[in-house]
Amino acid sequence: MLLAKECEKRRVAVGRNGKTRGYPLGGEGPLNNRKSVGIPEAVGLYDPRLEHDSCGVGFVANIKGKPSHEIVTNALTMLENMDHRGACGCESNTGDGAGILTGLPHDFLVKVAKRDAGIQLPAKGNYGAGLVFLPSDSEQRLACEKKMEEVIAAEGQKFLGWRDVPTDNSSLGPSARRIEPKMKMLFIEGVKHRSGEALERSLFTIRKLASNACFALNMDQSGYFYICSLSTKVFIYKGQLTPAQVTLYFADLRDADFSSHLALVHSRFSTNTFPSWDRAQPFRFMAHNGEINTRRGNINWMRAREGMFQSSTMSPEEIEKIKPVIEPEGSDSADFDNCLELLIRSGRTLPHSVMMMIPEAWQNHESMDPRRRAFYEYHSSLMEPWDGPASVAFTDGDCIGAVLDRNGLRPSRYYVTTDGMVIMASEVGVLPVPAESVAKK
């Protein structure tokens, strides 16, 4: 239910399949802690936390792990061909969100870090990099940068520097441009934990602490702090964009030296929820087409468990630093990603974690292998399913895959080619493949 003063701020969004829906623009008045810019306040019986989304998702990967710029361009082509799965506002050039996740492009980063910021990067795997959304106001931006640098030092790692990310907002509509953050790239060298999963966990802790510290600054409406990714393995470019605007907005993606062995893309249709720069996907480990219908229960159970957390990889003091696990004001997909990240950082593999969160319908599956049934039955005592019509693609930079919900209500399709490529998407045809090169589909 929307009250009259909220209805005055409505705008209609039109999906590229002709469907329409509306949502409040919001974004007026002071920005509360933990609020995404552009997301409205709860009013009367209306609560924006109860919204869901449904989108398009896909990935391209080289099975042998061979990086190339072609994988990036193919993924961007796939993204643009899923334009109909996204949505725009009454301004056709203001999108609901789109983005791309790739492997960390080490050679490219070495070049631009030295050229643009005078930073000499260490060997691959010994540093983390990420894209950070910062406030457009220079005073607030400097405050956030200082907090970030303080957290890095406190966690025993070495801050290497910031790089301004070249962007072109000339194709963006007024609504997206009004809340556009400042884009910067961050580099951190591993000192306390030099490489591997220990460094990944340290970067995870740094991100959580810095986010909490910057949200506590209680910035005004121009305040925007969000870390898209901070990792030794993956990098994310995303925003409140249409699929076609991703390549136009981020010049880095057009650089021939930008290579990856995998690329995960997402086009957002925020069915009845709200677009914002941080709610664009992919998130840090996944991209999602559908809805998590059990979201409120999943969040509440996770909060209830936080007091009982134990880990063989993190001390009790380190565990306290990563709370709350589910970050407020996220979408259902963001909540899922928060939980998935926790499971992975606790020492589980990515496939293990995904199967815990989205189990098959195992209870009455008479022909299921007994060992697989035992896996699901055991983990059902640890975590309830994150249920809903969902197709989820996931990656940690080493492994990439996809899974459907137990009812298969958000189907996806995949091809494996004779030259070692795997192509998965919400539908067939988003990346043309010659019939003779298809080994399996």
Side-chain angles (χ1 to χ4, degrees):
M1 173 180 286
L2 289 173
L3 299 186
K5 66 178 181 180
E6 283 295 311
C7 293
E8 291 173 1
K9 296 190 290 181
R10 282 183 81 86
R11 70 179 171 93
V12 174
V14 182
R16 291 168 180 84
N17 55 8
K19 294 182 179 179
T20 64
R21 78 283 191 279
Y23 43 79
L25 278 172
E28 298 178 7
L31 179 66
N32 294 331
N33 289 351
R34 294 295 200 175
K35 282 288 184 182
S36 296
V37 175
I39 305 303
E41 301 286 342
V43 178
L45 297 178
Y46 175 74
D47 188 343
R49 295 177 302 170
L50 304 179
E51 304 288 6
H52 303 282
D53 54 12
S54 180
C55 331
V57 63
F59 65 76
V60 183
N62 183 285
I63 294 174
K64 297 181 179 179
K66 182 180 179 181
S68 69
H69 185 61
E70 183 182 16
I71 286 179
V72 179
T73 58
N74 281 343
L76 292 170
T77 297
M78 173 187 287
L79 179 61
E80 292 182 23
N81 286 336
M82 289 193 292
D83 185 70
H84 62 287
R85 289 230 172 221
C88 61
C90 53
E91 309 153 0
S92 60
N93 53 357
T94 293
D96 273 14
I100 181 171
L101 179 155
T102 70
L104 197 76
H106 175 67
D107 293 340
F108 168 79
L109 293 180
V110 168
K111 180 180 77 172
V112 297
K114 181 68 174 178
R115 183 192 68 194
D116 300 340
I119 300 169
Q120 187 71 44
L121 292 181
K124 184 177 181 179
N126 292 341
Y127 70 95
L131 180 69
V132 183
F133 294 169
L134 290 159
S136 55
D137 177 81
S138 59
E139 185 176 337
Q140 293 183 5
R141 182 166 65 251
L142 288 173
C144 288
E145 290 177 6
K146 182 180 178 181
K147 285 288 185 184
M148 187 88 210
E149 293 165 23
E150 288 173 353
V151 169
I152 294 168
E155 289 302 299
Q157 307 296 11
K158 183 179 179 181
F159 167 72
L160 294 177
W162 299 94
R163 172 198 174 230
D164 289 331
V165 176
T167 58
D168 180 359
N169 67 4
S170 60
S171 67
L172 271 58
S175 295
R177 197 179 300 181
R178 177 176 63 88
I179 56 173
E180 179 187 10
K182 173 69 175 178
M183 303 276 178
K184 284 200 173 186
M185 196 175 284
L186 171 68
F187 299 100
I188 302 172
E189 183 176 358
V191 177
K192 183 179 179 181
H193 307 291
R194 294 197 61 83
S195 62
E197 289 305 313
L199 179 54
E200 286 287 336
R201 282 192 297 274
S202 180
L203 296 174
F204 169 48
T205 303
I206 288 170
R207 179 177 62 75
K208 298 287 278 192
L209 288 172
S211 296
N212 291 337
C214 288
F215 284 130
L217 294 175
N218 198 21
M219 296 175 286
D220 63 24
Q221 178 57 36
S222 65
Y224 213 119
F225 183 84
Y226 177 80
I227 303 173
C228 295
S229 62
L230 187 58
S231 173
T232 66
K233 297 180 181 179
V234 301
F235 203 92
I236 296 173
Y237 292 86
K238 68 176 186 177
Q240 193 176 331
L241 309 166
T242 66
Q245 287 172 341
V246 174
T247 309
L248 298 173
Y249 187 81
F250 292 109
D252 287 354
L253 295 172
R254 303 192 297 269
D255 193 306
D257 290 331
F258 193 109
S259 297
S260 177
H261 58 300
L262 56 82
L264 171 62
V265 293
H266 189 272
S267 172
R268 187 164 189 248
F269 190 117
S270 49
T271 315
N272 286 307
T273 190
F274 310 97
S276 66
W277 285 80
D278 59 317
R279 284 186 170 185
Q281 299 185 40
F283 290 110
R284 296 160 191 122
F285 284 93
M286 51 75 72
H288 173 224
N289 171 30
E291 301 175 3
I292 301 297
N293 291 334
T294 57
R295 177 190 182 192
R296 296 310 310 167
N298 295 134
I299 293 173
N300 290 336
W301 273 114
M302 184 56 67
R303 287 175 178 165
R305 294 186 182 108
E306 285 186 353
M308 300 182 292
F309 282 174
Q310 296 182 29
S311 174
S312 60
T313 60
M314 303 179 75
S315 69
E317 294 74 22
E318 289 173 321
I319 290 174
E320 287 302 312
K321 294 176 182 179
I322 64 172
K323 297 178 182 178
V325 172
I326 307 298
E327 298 167 3
E329 306 304 331
S331 64
D332 55 344
S333 304
D335 298 339
F336 184 101
D337 186 76
N338 289 158
C339 180
L340 180 61
E341 182 176 36
L342 175 76
L343 296 177
I344 293 168
R345 295 295 171 238
S346 71
R348 295 175 175 87
T349 66
L350 176 59
H352 184 158
S353 302
V354 171
M355 291 170 70
M356 282 180 65
M357 296 183 68
I358 309 181
E360 297 177 73
W362 58 271
Q363 290 92 337
N364 298 312
H365 195 318
E366 296 178 356
S367 61
M368 179 177 286
D369 182 278
R371 291 173 298 177
R372 194 155 90 233
R373 177 192 294 275
F375 173 90
Y376 290 127
E377 185 173 7
Y378 170 76
H379 287 95
S380 68
S381 67
L382 303 178
M383 175 170 289
E384 66 290 333
W386 288 63
D387 245 344
S391 173
V392 176
F394 51 85
T395 184
D396 58 2
D398 295 325
C399 165
I400 193 164
V403 65
L404 302 183
D405 69 281
R406 63 181 71 195
N407 295 312
L409 296 177
R410 288 289 188 274
S412 294
R413 300 288 182 266
Y414 71 91
Y415 282 16
V416 178
T417 66
T418 54
D419 59 351
M421 301 295 293
V422 58
I423 301 164
M424 193 287 296
S426 300
E427 62 234 89
V428 171
V430 290
L431 187 64
V433 180
E436 61 273 15
S437 68
V438 176
K440 180 182 180 182
K441 61 182 178 180

